[in-house]
Amino acid sequence: MPVPALQKFEQRIGRQLRLLELRKTMIERKIGRQIRLFEQKRDGFGKKIEQQIRQFERKRGIRLDDEVRFLRSWIERPLTIGAVTPSSKMLARTMARYVDPDSDGPVVELGPGTGPITEALVEAGVDPSRLVLVEFNPVFCRLLRARYPDATLVQGDAYSLRRLLETLLLEPAAAVVSGLPLVTKPIKMRLRLIRDAFELMLPGAPFVQFTYSVASPLPKRIAGFSVESSERIWMNLPPARVWVYRKN
Ligand SMILES: C[S@@+](CC[C@H](N)C(=O)[O-])C[C@H]1O[C@@H](n2cnc3c(N)ncnc32)[C@H](O)[C@@H]1O
């Protein structure tokens, strides 16, 4: 190509590149505005719900702090939180019933949230210093640290259980109690989690999981696992069932 033609070609490409840059900046700004708008709306919605809850509290003379925290987290990450309110006392006590308070070793709780199951475990006689709480929501972590200063709190992803706990646990766990919204995850991930949990537990120790769904969140016929379940717990919103898996 002759030199002047090449220069012209370069100029044209240059102009088009600048135009593209300009368009990209405009689109980025537009997306940024939309995201800010969405965030404002979401915050407004959260605040409105919070105001209504405060009004409700004032009228009835009660405090719903944990419910507010929970609802807020649910608004931000519905699939991760998996529930609109913390578990009821009835459900939490049923979960705790499957853990022997006189057994040896740590009791691991996955997704403790605001701590209703933690509370039930302590009420049932599990020493708080045996508790290892794995939660990744920073707001819940702050709350749990303040409420259970003797427990070990691990802020992280429970689905990386082995990496998180294999050096932390000095002896095999006596139980793993899970409030994770397991059914929102692919079956492969659920199976990996329970297999990792069994690696960290004593033989025959329970992996206790609640679910709102009708079926077991893990296949009932897994070779080498035994499965049992509680009655449906109607005193919970939504009603739930507790499933217990053991490997001998
Ligand atoms: C359905 S809520 C249950 C909370 C509490 N156990 C209860 O019964 O009210 C699920 C909890 O699991 C936590 N969670 C979800 N995915 C998690 C993950 N991958 N690692 C750690 N915590 C997780 C959420 O932040 C939330 O606190």
Side-chain angles (χ1 to χ4, degrees), residues 108 110 158 161-162 165 169 172-173 175-177 190-202 205-207:
V108 178
L110 310 179
L161 199 62
R162 207 134 47 120
L165 299 190
L169 297 189
V176 173
V177 179
R190 300 182 216 168
L191 285 173
R192 201 184 61 211
L193 174 78
I194 195 166
R195 289 201 172 116
D196 284 355
F198 282 134
E199 292 282 309
L200 300 168
M201 279 196 273
L202 289 165
F207 181 96

mmCIF file with all atom_site columns, all heavy atoms in Angstrom, residues 108 110 158 161-162 165 169 172-173 175-177 190-202 205-207:
data_model
loop_
_atom_site.group_PDB
_atom_site.id
_atom_site.type_symbol
_atom_site.label_atom_id
_atom_site.label_alt_id
_atom_site.label_comp_id
_atom_site.label_asym_id
_atom_site.label_entity_id
_atom_site.label_seq_id
_atom_site.pdbx_PDB_ins_code
_atom_site.Cartn_x
_atom_site.Cartn_y
_atom_site.Cartn_z
_atom_site.occupancy
_atom_site.B_iso_or_equiv
_atom_site.pdbx_formal_charge
_atom_site.auth_seq_id
_atom_site.auth_comp_id
_atom_site.auth_asym_id
_atom_site.auth_atom_id
_atom_site.pdbx_PDB_model_num
ATOM 1   N N   . VAL A 1 108 ? -19.039 -29.162 64.751 1.00 0.00 ? 108 VAL A N   1
ATOM 2   C CA  . VAL A 1 108 ? -18.915 -28.158 63.685 1.00 0.00 ? 108 VAL A CA  1
ATOM 3   C C   . VAL A 1 108 ? -20.305 -27.725 63.246 1.00 0.00 ? 108 VAL A C   1
ATOM 4   O O   . VAL A 1 108 ? -21.173 -28.573 63.001 1.00 0.00 ? 108 VAL A O   1
ATOM 5   C CB  . VAL A 1 108 ? -18.147 -28.760 62.472 1.00 0.00 ? 108 VAL A CB  1
ATOM 6   C CG1 . VAL A 1 108 ? -18.045 -27.755 61.337 1.00 0.00 ? 108 VAL A CG1 1
ATOM 7   C CG2 . VAL A 1 108 ? -16.763 -29.235 62.898 1.00 0.00 ? 108 VAL A CG2 1
ATOM 8   N N   . LEU A 1 110 ? -22.254 -25.544 60.292 1.00 0.00 ? 110 LEU A N   1
ATOM 9   C CA  . LEU A 1 110 ? -22.095 -24.864 59.000 1.00 0.00 ? 110 LEU A CA  1
ATOM 10  C C   . LEU A 1 110 ? -23.272 -23.913 58.784 1.00 0.00 ? 110 LEU A C   1
ATOM 11  O O   . LEU A 1 110 ? -24.425 -24.320 58.915 1.00 0.00 ? 110 LEU A O   1
ATOM 12  C CB  . LEU A 1 110 ? -22.061 -25.887 57.859 1.00 0.00 ? 110 LEU A CB  1
ATOM 13  C CG  . LEU A 1 110 ? -21.097 -27.075 58.032 1.00 0.00 ? 110 LEU A CG  1
ATOM 14  C CD1 . LEU A 1 110 ? -21.194 -28.017 56.833 1.00 0.00 ? 110 LEU A CD1 1
ATOM 15  C CD2 . LEU A 1 110 ? -19.671 -26.583 58.195 1.00 0.00 ? 110 LEU A CD2 1
ATOM 16  N N   . ALA A 1 158 ? -18.183 -22.782 53.446 1.00 0.00 ? 158 ALA A N   1
ATOM 17  C CA  . ALA A 1 158 ? -18.334 -24.131 54.002 1.00 0.00 ? 158 ALA A CA  1
ATOM 18  C C   . ALA A 1 158 ? -18.121 -25.211 52.947 1.00 0.00 ? 158 ALA A C   1
ATOM 19  O O   . ALA A 1 158 ? -17.814 -26.353 53.292 1.00 0.00 ? 158 ALA A O   1
ATOM 20  C CB  . ALA A 1 158 ? -19.722 -24.270 54.622 1.00 0.00 ? 158 ALA A CB  1
ATOM 21  N N   . LEU A 1 161 ? -14.752 -27.155 52.942 1.00 0.00 ? 161 LEU A N   1
ATOM 22  C CA  . LEU A 1 161 ? -14.651 -27.587 54.335 1.00 0.00 ? 161 LEU A CA  1
ATOM 23  C C   . LEU A 1 161 ? -13.293 -28.191 54.678 1.00 0.00 ? 161 LEU A C   1
ATOM 24  O O   . LEU A 1 161 ? -12.702 -27.840 55.700 1.00 0.00 ? 161 LEU A O   1
ATOM 25  C CB  . LEU A 1 161 ? -15.754 -28.613 54.611 1.00 0.00 ? 161 LEU A CB  1
ATOM 26  C CG  . LEU A 1 161 ? -16.073 -28.822 56.078 1.00 0.00 ? 161 LEU A CG  1
ATOM 27  C CD1 . LEU A 1 161 ? -16.581 -27.545 56.694 1.00 0.00 ? 161 LEU A CD1 1
ATOM 28  C CD2 . LEU A 1 161 ? -17.116 -29.912 56.252 1.00 0.00 ? 161 LEU A CD2 1
ATOM 29  N N   . ARG A 1 162 ? -12.827 -29.077 53.789 1.00 0.00 ? 162 ARG A N   1
ATOM 30  C CA  . ARG A 1 162 ? -11.583 -29.780 54.119 1.00 0.00 ? 162 ARG A CA  1
ATOM 31  C C   . ARG A 1 162 ? -10.422 -28.786 54.244 1.00 0.00 ? 162 ARG A C   1
ATOM 32  O O   . ARG A 1 162 ? -9.672  -28.801 55.207 1.00 0.00 ? 162 ARG A O   1
ATOM 33  C CB  . ARG A 1 162 ? -11.285 -30.823 53.055 1.00 0.00 ? 162 ARG A CB  1
ATOM 34  C CG  . ARG A 1 162 ? -10.485 -31.923 53.624 1.00 0.00 ? 162 ARG A CG  1
ATOM 35  C CD  . ARG A 1 162 ? -10.875 -33.306 53.334 1.00 0.00 ? 162 ARG A CD  1
ATOM 36  N NE  . ARG A 1 162 ? -11.150 -33.555 51.945 1.00 0.00 ? 162 ARG A NE  1
ATOM 37  C CZ  . ARG A 1 162 ? -10.480 -34.436 51.223 1.00 0.00 ? 162 ARG A CZ  1
ATOM 38  N NH1 . ARG A 1 162 ? -9.480  -35.095 51.734 1.00 0.00 ? 162 ARG A NH1 1
ATOM 39  N NH2 . ARG A 1 162 ? -10.824 -34.679 49.989 1.00 0.00 ? 162 ARG A NH2 1
ATOM 40  N N   . LEU A 1 165 ? -10.820 -26.690 57.480 1.00 0.00 ? 165 LEU A N   1
ATOM 41  C CA  . LEU A 1 165 ? -10.761 -27.291 58.818 1.00 0.00 ? 165 LEU A CA  1
ATOM 42  C C   . LEU A 1 165 ? -9.681  -28.337 59.039 1.00 0.00 ? 165 LEU A C   1
ATOM 43  O O   . LEU A 1 165 ? -9.413  -28.682 60.184 1.00 0.00 ? 165 LEU A O   1
ATOM 44  C CB  . LEU A 1 165 ? -12.128 -27.894 59.182 1.00 0.00 ? 165 LEU A CB  1
ATOM 45  C CG  . LEU A 1 165 ? -13.321 -26.940 59.239 1.00 0.00 ? 165 LEU A CG  1
ATOM 46  C CD1 . LEU A 1 165 ? -14.517 -27.656 59.835 1.00 0.00 ? 165 LEU A CD1 1
ATOM 47  C CD2 . LEU A 1 165 ? -13.022 -25.700 60.063 1.00 0.00 ? 165 LEU A CD2 1
ATOM 48  N N   . LEU A 1 169 ? -8.856  -28.542 63.043 1.00 0.00 ? 169 LEU A N   1
ATOM 49  C CA  . LEU A 1 169 ? -9.390  -29.549 63.973 1.00 0.00 ? 169 LEU A CA  1
ATOM 50  C C   . LEU A 1 169 ? -8.252  -30.436 64.482 1.00 0.00 ? 169 LEU A C   1
ATOM 51  O O   . LEU A 1 169 ? -7.568  -31.067 63.685 1.00 0.00 ? 169 LEU A O   1
ATOM 52  C CB  . LEU A 1 169 ? -10.446 -30.423 63.293 1.00 0.00 ? 169 LEU A CB  1
ATOM 53  C CG  . LEU A 1 169 ? -11.724 -29.746 62.785 1.00 0.00 ? 169 LEU A CG  1
ATOM 54  C CD1 . LEU A 1 169 ? -12.725 -30.803 62.340 1.00 0.00 ? 169 LEU A CD1 1
ATOM 55  C CD2 . LEU A 1 169 ? -12.353 -28.859 63.842 1.00 0.00 ? 169 LEU A CD2 1
ATOM 56  N N   . PRO A 1 172 ? -10.910 -35.666 65.548 1.00 0.00 ? 172 PRO A N   1
ATOM 57  C CA  . PRO A 1 172 ? -12.094 -35.810 64.685 1.00 0.00 ? 172 PRO A CA  1
ATOM 58  C C   . PRO A 1 172 ? -13.328 -35.179 65.314 1.00 0.00 ? 172 PRO A C   1
ATOM 59  O O   . PRO A 1 172 ? -13.485 -35.196 66.537 1.00 0.00 ? 172 PRO A O   1
ATOM 60  C CB  . PRO A 1 172 ? -12.260 -37.329 64.568 1.00 0.00 ? 172 PRO A CB  1
ATOM 61  C CG  . PRO A 1 172 ? -10.976 -37.923 65.002 1.00 0.00 ? 172 PRO A CG  1
ATOM 62  C CD  . PRO A 1 172 ? -10.316 -36.960 65.933 1.00 0.00 ? 172 PRO A CD  1
ATOM 63  N N   . ALA A 1 173 ? -14.185 -34.624 64.473 1.00 0.00 ? 173 ALA A N   1
ATOM 64  C CA  . ALA A 1 173 ? -15.390 -33.950 64.977 1.00 0.00 ? 173 ALA A CA  1
ATOM 65  C C   . ALA A 1 173 ? -16.417 -34.976 65.454 1.00 0.00 ? 173 ALA A C   1
ATOM 66  O O   . ALA A 1 173 ? -16.522 -36.076 64.898 1.00 0.00 ? 173 ALA A O   1
ATOM 67  C CB  . ALA A 1 173 ? -15.996 -33.090 63.879 1.00 0.00 ? 173 ALA A CB  1
ATOM 68  N N   . ALA A 1 175 ? -19.660 -34.218 65.511 1.00 0.00 ? 175 ALA A N   1
ATOM 69  C CA  . ALA A 1 175 ? -20.860 -34.013 64.682 1.00 0.00 ? 175 ALA A CA  1
ATOM 70  C C   . ALA A 1 175 ? -20.639 -32.816 63.766 1.00 0.00 ? 175 ALA A C   1
ATOM 71  O O   . ALA A 1 175 ? -19.859 -31.920 64.084 1.00 0.00 ? 175 ALA A O   1
ATOM 72  C CB  . ALA A 1 175 ? -22.077 -33.755 65.567 1.00 0.00 ? 175 ALA A CB  1
ATOM 73  N N   . VAL A 1 176 ? -21.345 -32.841 62.638 1.00 0.00 ? 176 VAL A N   1
ATOM 74  C CA  . VAL A 1 176 ? -21.417 -31.640 61.784 1.00 0.00 ? 176 VAL A CA  1
ATOM 75  C C   . VAL A 1 176 ? -22.896 -31.314 61.657 1.00 0.00 ? 176 VAL A C   1
ATOM 76  O O   . VAL A 1 176 ? -23.710 -32.165 61.278 1.00 0.00 ? 176 VAL A O   1
ATOM 77  C CB  . VAL A 1 176 ? -20.772 -31.870 60.395 1.00 0.00 ? 176 VAL A CB  1
ATOM 78  C CG1 . VAL A 1 176 ? -21.010 -30.669 59.494 1.00 0.00 ? 176 VAL A CG1 1
ATOM 79  C CG2 . VAL A 1 176 ? -19.275 -32.122 60.526 1.00 0.00 ? 176 VAL A CG2 1
ATOM 80  N N   . VAL A 1 177 ? -23.241 -30.088 62.021 1.00 0.00 ? 177 VAL A N   1
ATOM 81  C CA  . VAL A 1 177 ? -24.642 -29.659 62.004 1.00 0.00 ? 177 VAL A CA  1
ATOM 82  C C   . VAL A 1 177 ? -24.732 -28.557 60.959 1.00 0.00 ? 177 VAL A C   1
ATOM 83  O O   . VAL A 1 177 ? -23.999 -27.577 61.034 1.00 0.00 ? 177 VAL A O   1
ATOM 84  C CB  . VAL A 1 177 ? -25.026 -29.107 63.396 1.00 0.00 ? 177 VAL A CB  1
ATOM 85  C CG1 . VAL A 1 177 ? -26.459 -28.634 63.414 1.00 0.00 ? 177 VAL A CG1 1
ATOM 86  C CG2 . VAL A 1 177 ? -24.797 -30.160 64.462 1.00 0.00 ? 177 VAL A CG2 1
ATOM 87  N N   . ARG A 1 190 ? -22.990 -30.985 46.854 1.00 0.00 ? 190 ARG A N   1
ATOM 88  C CA  . ARG A 1 190 ? -23.539 -31.468 48.128 1.00 0.00 ? 190 ARG A CA  1
ATOM 89  C C   . ARG A 1 190 ? -22.804 -32.736 48.549 1.00 0.00 ? 190 ARG A C   1
ATOM 90  O O   . ARG A 1 190 ? -22.456 -32.911 49.700 1.00 0.00 ? 190 ARG A O   1
ATOM 91  C CB  . ARG A 1 190 ? -25.024 -31.800 47.977 1.00 0.00 ? 190 ARG A CB  1
ATOM 92  C CG  . ARG A 1 190 ? -25.866 -30.634 47.550 1.00 0.00 ? 190 ARG A CG  1
ATOM 93  C CD  . ARG A 1 190 ? -27.315 -31.077 47.496 1.00 0.00 ? 190 ARG A CD  1
ATOM 94  N NE  . ARG A 1 190 ? -28.025 -30.445 46.410 1.00 0.00 ? 190 ARG A NE  1
ATOM 95  C CZ  . ARG A 1 190 ? -29.217 -30.796 45.980 1.00 0.00 ? 190 ARG A CZ  1
ATOM 96  N NH1 . ARG A 1 190 ? -29.838 -31.789 46.557 1.00 0.00 ? 190 ARG A NH1 1
ATOM 97  N NH2 . ARG A 1 190 ? -29.802 -30.165 44.987 1.00 0.00 ? 190 ARG A NH2 1
ATOM 98  N N   . LEU A 1 191 ? -22.594 -33.627 47.555 1.00 0.00 ? 191 LEU A N   1
ATOM 99  C CA  . LEU A 1 191 ? -21.933 -34.898 47.882 1.00 0.00 ? 191 LEU A CA  1
ATOM 100 C C   . LEU A 1 191 ? -20.485 -34.665 48.306 1.00 0.00 ? 191 LEU A C   1
ATOM 101 O O   . LEU A 1 191 ? -19.991 -35.304 49.227 1.00 0.00 ? 191 LEU A O   1
ATOM 102 C CB  . LEU A 1 191 ? -22.001 -35.841 46.677 1.00 0.00 ? 191 LEU A CB  1
ATOM 103 C CG  . LEU A 1 191 ? -23.375 -36.463 46.454 1.00 0.00 ? 191 LEU A CG  1
ATOM 104 C CD1 . LEU A 1 191 ? -23.416 -37.238 45.152 1.00 0.00 ? 191 LEU A CD1 1
ATOM 105 C CD2 . LEU A 1 191 ? -23.738 -37.392 47.614 1.00 0.00 ? 191 LEU A CD2 1
ATOM 106 N N   . ARG A 1 192 ? -19.838 -33.706 47.620 1.00 0.00 ? 192 ARG A N   1
ATOM 107 C CA  . ARG A 1 192 ? -18.442 -33.423 48.006 1.00 0.00 ? 192 ARG A CA  1
ATOM 108 C C   . ARG A 1 192 ? -18.395 -32.904 49.442 1.00 0.00 ? 192 ARG A C   1
ATOM 109 O O   . ARG A 1 192 ? -17.552 -33.299 50.231 1.00 0.00 ? 192 ARG A O   1
ATOM 110 C CB  . ARG A 1 192 ? -17.824 -32.403 47.045 1.00 0.00 ? 192 ARG A CB  1
ATOM 111 C CG  . ARG A 1 192 ? -16.303 -32.472 47.067 1.00 0.00 ? 192 ARG A CG  1
ATOM 112 C CD  . ARG A 1 192 ? -15.651 -31.437 46.212 1.00 0.00 ? 192 ARG A CD  1
ATOM 113 N NE  . ARG A 1 192 ? -16.004 -30.097 46.659 1.00 0.00 ? 192 ARG A NE  1
ATOM 114 C CZ  . ARG A 1 192 ? -16.110 -29.061 45.854 1.00 0.00 ? 192 ARG A CZ  1
ATOM 115 N NH1 . ARG A 1 192 ? -15.958 -29.208 44.563 1.00 0.00 ? 192 ARG A NH1 1
ATOM 116 N NH2 . ARG A 1 192 ? -16.410 -27.872 46.332 1.00 0.00 ? 192 ARG A NH2 1
ATOM 117 N N   . LEU A 1 193 ? -19.383 -32.056 49.784 1.00 0.00 ? 193 LEU A N   1
ATOM 118 C CA  . LEU A 1 193 ? -19.419 -31.489 51.137 1.00 0.00 ? 193 LEU A CA  1
ATOM 119 C C   . LEU A 1 193 ? -19.568 -32.590 52.180 1.00 0.00 ? 193 LEU A C   1
ATOM 120 O O   . LEU A 1 193 ? -18.818 -32.645 53.160 1.00 0.00 ? 193 LEU A O   1
ATOM 121 C CB  . LEU A 1 193 ? -20.575 -30.483 51.260 1.00 0.00 ? 193 LEU A CB  1
ATOM 122 C CG  . LEU A 1 193 ? -20.777 -29.942 52.663 1.00 0.00 ? 193 LEU A CG  1
ATOM 123 C CD1 . LEU A 1 193 ? -19.742 -28.880 52.990 1.00 0.00 ? 193 LEU A CD1 1
ATOM 124 C CD2 . LEU A 1 193 ? -22.171 -29.365 52.844 1.00 0.00 ? 193 LEU A CD2 1
ATOM 125 N N   . ILE A 1 194 ? -20.525 -33.496 51.956 1.00 0.00 ? 194 ILE A N   1
ATOM 126 C CA  . ILE A 1 194 ? -20.765 -34.524 52.980 1.00 0.00 ? 194 ILE A CA  1
ATOM 127 C C   . ILE A 1 194 ? -19.575 -35.497 53.053 1.00 0.00 ? 194 ILE A C   1
ATOM 128 O O   . ILE A 1 194 ? -19.184 -35.923 54.135 1.00 0.00 ? 194 ILE A O   1
ATOM 129 C CB  . ILE A 1 194 ? -22.127 -35.239 52.797 1.00 0.00 ? 194 ILE A CB  1
ATOM 130 C CG1 . ILE A 1 194 ? -22.452 -36.007 54.079 1.00 0.00 ? 194 ILE A CG1 1
ATOM 131 C CG2 . ILE A 1 194 ? -22.181 -36.127 51.600 1.00 0.00 ? 194 ILE A CG2 1
ATOM 132 C CD1 . ILE A 1 194 ? -23.866 -36.474 54.185 1.00 0.00 ? 194 ILE A CD1 1
ATOM 133 N N   . ARG A 1 195 ? -18.961 -35.772 51.912 1.00 0.00 ? 195 ARG A N   1
ATOM 134 C CA  . ARG A 1 195 ? -17.786 -36.673 51.944 1.00 0.00 ? 195 ARG A CA  1
ATOM 135 C C   . ARG A 1 195 ? -16.647 -36.005 52.699 1.00 0.00 ? 195 ARG A C   1
ATOM 136 O O   . ARG A 1 195 ? -15.972 -36.639 53.508 1.00 0.00 ? 195 ARG A O   1
ATOM 137 C CB  . ARG A 1 195 ? -17.364 -37.028 50.522 1.00 0.00 ? 195 ARG A CB  1
ATOM 138 C CG  . ARG A 1 195 ? -18.398 -37.945 49.920 1.00 0.00 ? 195 ARG A CG  1
ATOM 139 C CD  . ARG A 1 195 ? -17.916 -38.774 48.748 1.00 0.00 ? 195 ARG A CD  1
ATOM 140 N NE  . ARG A 1 195 ? -18.948 -39.727 48.409 1.00 0.00 ? 195 ARG A NE  1
ATOM 141 C CZ  . ARG A 1 195 ? -19.614 -39.768 47.267 1.00 0.00 ? 195 ARG A CZ  1
ATOM 142 N NH1 . ARG A 1 195 ? -19.370 -38.883 46.315 1.00 0.00 ? 195 ARG A NH1 1
ATOM 143 N NH2 . ARG A 1 195 ? -20.534 -40.681 47.058 1.00 0.00 ? 195 ARG A NH2 1
ATOM 144 N N   . ASP A 1 196 ? -16.457 -34.692 52.469 1.00 0.00 ? 196 ASP A N   1
ATOM 145 C CA  . ASP A 1 196 ? -15.413 -33.955 53.205 1.00 0.00 ? 196 ASP A CA  1
ATOM 146 C C   . ASP A 1 196 ? -15.721 -33.950 54.686 1.00 0.00 ? 196 ASP A C   1
ATOM 147 O O   . ASP A 1 196 ? -14.836 -34.086 55.521 1.00 0.00 ? 196 ASP A O   1
ATOM 148 C CB  . ASP A 1 196 ? -15.323 -32.505 52.701 1.00 0.00 ? 196 ASP A CB  1
ATOM 149 C CG  . ASP A 1 196 ? -14.622 -32.416 51.363 1.00 0.00 ? 196 ASP A CG  1
ATOM 150 O OD1 . ASP A 1 196 ? -14.136 -33.466 50.887 1.00 0.00 ? 196 ASP A OD1 1
ATOM 151 O OD2 . ASP A 1 196 ? -14.563 -31.315 50.789 1.00 0.00 ? 196 ASP A OD2 1
ATOM 152 N N   . ALA A 1 197 ? -17.022 -33.779 55.022 1.00 0.00 ? 197 ALA A N   1
ATOM 153 C CA  . ALA A 1 197 ? -17.417 -33.740 56.430 1.00 0.00 ? 197 ALA A CA  1
ATOM 154 C C   . ALA A 1 197 ? -17.107 -35.088 57.085 1.00 0.00 ? 197 ALA A C   1
ATOM 155 O O   . ALA A 1 197 ? -16.552 -35.133 58.188 1.00 0.00 ? 197 ALA A O   1
ATOM 156 C CB  . ALA A 1 197 ? -18.898 -33.416 56.553 1.00 0.00 ? 197 ALA A CB  1
ATOM 157 N N   . PHE A 1 198 ? -17.418 -36.189 56.386 1.00 0.00 ? 198 PHE A N   1
ATOM 158 C CA  . PHE A 1 198 ? -17.147 -37.514 56.955 1.00 0.00 ? 198 PHE A CA  1
ATOM 159 C C   . PHE A 1 198 ? -15.655 -37.751 57.168 1.00 0.00 ? 198 PHE A C   1
ATOM 160 O O   . PHE A 1 198 ? -15.256 -38.439 58.093 1.00 0.00 ? 198 PHE A O   1
ATOM 161 C CB  . PHE A 1 198 ? -17.756 -38.611 56.085 1.00 0.00 ? 198 PHE A CB  1
ATOM 162 C CG  . PHE A 1 198 ? -19.241 -38.756 56.304 1.00 0.00 ? 198 PHE A CG  1
ATOM 163 C CD1 . PHE A 1 198 ? -20.119 -38.854 55.241 1.00 0.00 ? 198 PHE A CD1 1
ATOM 164 C CD2 . PHE A 1 198 ? -19.768 -38.781 57.587 1.00 0.00 ? 198 PHE A CD2 1
ATOM 165 C CE1 . PHE A 1 198 ? -21.488 -38.979 55.448 1.00 0.00 ? 198 PHE A CE1 1
ATOM 166 C CE2 . PHE A 1 198 ? -21.135 -38.900 57.801 1.00 0.00 ? 198 PHE A CE2 1
ATOM 167 C CZ  . PHE A 1 198 ? -21.998 -38.992 56.737 1.00 0.00 ? 198 PHE A CZ  1
ATOM 168 N N   . GLU A 1 199 ? -14.834 -37.149 56.293 1.00 0.00 ? 199 GLU A N   1
ATOM 169 C CA  . GLU A 1 199 ? -13.375 -37.282 56.468 1.00 0.00 ? 199 GLU A CA  1
ATOM 170 C C   . GLU A 1 199 ? -12.926 -36.658 57.781 1.00 0.00 ? 199 GLU A C   1
ATOM 171 O O   . GLU A 1 199 ? -11.927 -37.053 58.363 1.00 0.00 ? 199 GLU A O   1
ATOM 172 C CB  . GLU A 1 199 ? -12.645 -36.557 55.323 1.00 0.00 ? 199 GLU A CB  1
ATOM 173 C CG  . GLU A 1 199 ? -12.806 -37.187 53.975 1.00 0.00 ? 199 GLU A CG  1
ATOM 174 C CD  . GLU A 1 199 ? -11.911 -38.402 53.813 1.00 0.00 ? 199 GLU A CD  1
ATOM 175 O OE1 . GLU A 1 199 ? -10.717 -38.277 54.087 1.00 0.00 ? 199 GLU A OE1 1
ATOM 176 O OE2 . GLU A 1 199 ? -12.440 -39.468 53.440 1.00 0.00 ? 199 GLU A OE2 1
ATOM 177 N N   . LEU A 1 200 ? -13.686 -35.631 58.223 1.00 0.00 ? 200 LEU A N   1
ATOM 178 C CA  . LEU A 1 200 ? -13.285 -34.893 59.430 1.00 0.00 ? 200 LEU A CA  1
ATOM 179 C C   . LEU A 1 200 ? -13.935 -35.436 60.700 1.00 0.00 ? 200 LEU A C   1
ATOM 180 O O   . LEU A 1 200 ? -13.680 -34.956 61.795 1.00 0.00 ? 200 LEU A O   1
ATOM 181 C CB  . LEU A 1 200 ? -13.669 -33.404 59.290 1.00 0.00 ? 200 LEU A CB  1
ATOM 182 C CG  . LEU A 1 200 ? -13.046 -32.644 58.125 1.00 0.00 ? 200 LEU A CG  1
ATOM 183 C CD1 . LEU A 1 200 ? -13.723 -31.295 57.940 1.00 0.00 ? 200 LEU A CD1 1
ATOM 184 C CD2 . LEU A 1 200 ? -11.555 -32.430 58.367 1.00 0.00 ? 200 LEU A CD2 1
ATOM 185 N N   . MET A 1 201 ? -14.867 -36.437 60.521 1.00 0.00 ? 201 MET A N   1
ATOM 186 C CA  . MET A 1 201 ? -15.646 -36.904 61.675 1.00 0.00 ? 201 MET A CA  1
ATOM 187 C C   . MET A 1 201 ? -15.257 -38.297 62.123 1.00 0.00 ? 201 MET A C   1
ATOM 188 O O   . MET A 1 201 ? -14.693 -39.077 61.358 1.00 0.00 ? 201 MET A O   1
ATOM 189 C CB  . MET A 1 201 ? -17.131 -36.933 61.289 1.00 0.00 ? 201 MET A CB  1
ATOM 190 C CG  . MET A 1 201 ? -17.812 -35.592 61.370 1.00 0.00 ? 201 MET A CG  1
ATOM 191 S SD  . MET A 1 201 ? -19.600 -35.850 61.350 1.00 0.00 ? 201 MET A SD  1
ATOM 192 C CE  . MET A 1 201 ? -19.928 -35.882 59.632 1.00 0.00 ? 201 MET A CE  1
ATOM 193 N N   . LEU A 1 202 ? -15.658 -38.610 63.341 1.00 0.00 ? 202 LEU A N   1
ATOM 194 C CA  . LEU A 1 202 ? -15.512 -39.969 63.858 1.00 0.00 ? 202 LEU A CA  1
ATOM 195 C C   . LEU A 1 202 ? -16.472 -40.895 63.104 1.00 0.00 ? 202 LEU A C   1
ATOM 196 O O   . LEU A 1 202 ? -17.557 -40.434 62.716 1.00 0.00 ? 202 LEU A O   1
ATOM 197 C CB  . LEU A 1 202 ? -15.900 -39.992 65.339 1.00 0.00 ? 202 LEU A CB  1
ATOM 198 C CG  . LEU A 1 202 ? -14.945 -39.317 66.320 1.00 0.00 ? 202 LEU A CG  1
ATOM 199 C CD1 . LEU A 1 202 ? -15.646 -39.108 67.654 1.00 0.00 ? 202 LEU A CD1 1
ATOM 200 C CD2 . LEU A 1 202 ? -13.701 -40.189 66.498 1.00 0.00 ? 202 LEU A CD2 1
ATOM 201 N N   . ALA A 1 205 ? -20.479 -40.761 63.415 1.00 0.00 ? 205 ALA A N   1
ATOM 202 C CA  . ALA A 1 205 ? -20.897 -39.426 63.886 1.00 0.00 ? 205 ALA A CA  1
ATOM 203 C C   . ALA A 1 205 ? -21.933 -38.832 62.924 1.00 0.00 ? 205 ALA A C   1
ATOM 204 O O   . ALA A 1 205 ? -21.897 -39.100 61.720 1.00 0.00 ? 205 ALA A O   1
ATOM 205 C CB  . ALA A 1 205 ? -19.680 -38.516 63.980 1.00 0.00 ? 205 ALA A CB  1
ATOM 206 N N   . PRO A 1 206 ? -22.872 -38.026 63.440 1.00 0.00 ? 206 PRO A N   1
ATOM 207 C CA  . PRO A 1 206 ? -23.956 -37.554 62.573 1.00 0.00 ? 206 PRO A CA  1
ATOM 208 C C   . PRO A 1 206 ? -23.619 -36.287 61.775 1.00 0.00 ? 206 PRO A C   1
ATOM 209 O O   . PRO A 1 206 ? -22.970 -35.380 62.283 1.00 0.00 ? 206 PRO A O   1
ATOM 210 C CB  . PRO A 1 206 ? -25.061 -37.233 63.588 1.00 0.00 ? 206 PRO A CB  1
ATOM 211 C CG  . PRO A 1 206 ? -24.315 -36.857 64.839 1.00 0.00 ? 206 PRO A CG  1
ATOM 212 C CD  . PRO A 1 206 ? -23.040 -37.634 64.839 1.00 0.00 ? 206 PRO A CD  1
ATOM 213 N N   . PHE A 1 207 ? -24.084 -36.271 60.528 1.00 0.00 ? 207 PHE A N   1
ATOM 214 C CA  . PHE A 1 207 ? -24.117 -35.042 59.727 1.00 0.00 ? 207 PHE A CA  1
ATOM 215 C C   . PHE A 1 207 ? -25.593 -34.645 59.725 1.00 0.00 ? 207 PHE A C   1
ATOM 216 O O   . PHE A 1 207 ? -26.432 -35.338 59.152 1.00 0.00 ? 207 PHE A O   1
ATOM 217 C CB  . PHE A 1 207 ? -23.615 -35.307 58.304 1.00 0.00 ? 207 PHE A CB  1
ATOM 218 C CG  . PHE A 1 207 ? -23.605 -34.077 57.424 1.00 0.00 ? 207 PHE A CG  1
ATOM 219 C CD1 . PHE A 1 207 ? -22.447 -33.318 57.261 1.00 0.00 ? 207 PHE A CD1 1
ATOM 220 C CD2 . PHE A 1 207 ? -24.757 -33.659 56.756 1.00 0.00 ? 207 PHE A CD2 1
ATOM 221 C CE1 . PHE A 1 207 ? -22.433 -32.178 56.454 1.00 0.00 ? 207 PHE A CE1 1
ATOM 222 C CE2 . PHE A 1 207 ? -24.758 -32.522 55.949 1.00 0.00 ? 207 PHE A CE2 1
ATOM 223 C CZ  . PHE A 1 207 ? -23.592 -31.789 55.794 1.00 0.00 ? 207 PHE A CZ  1
#
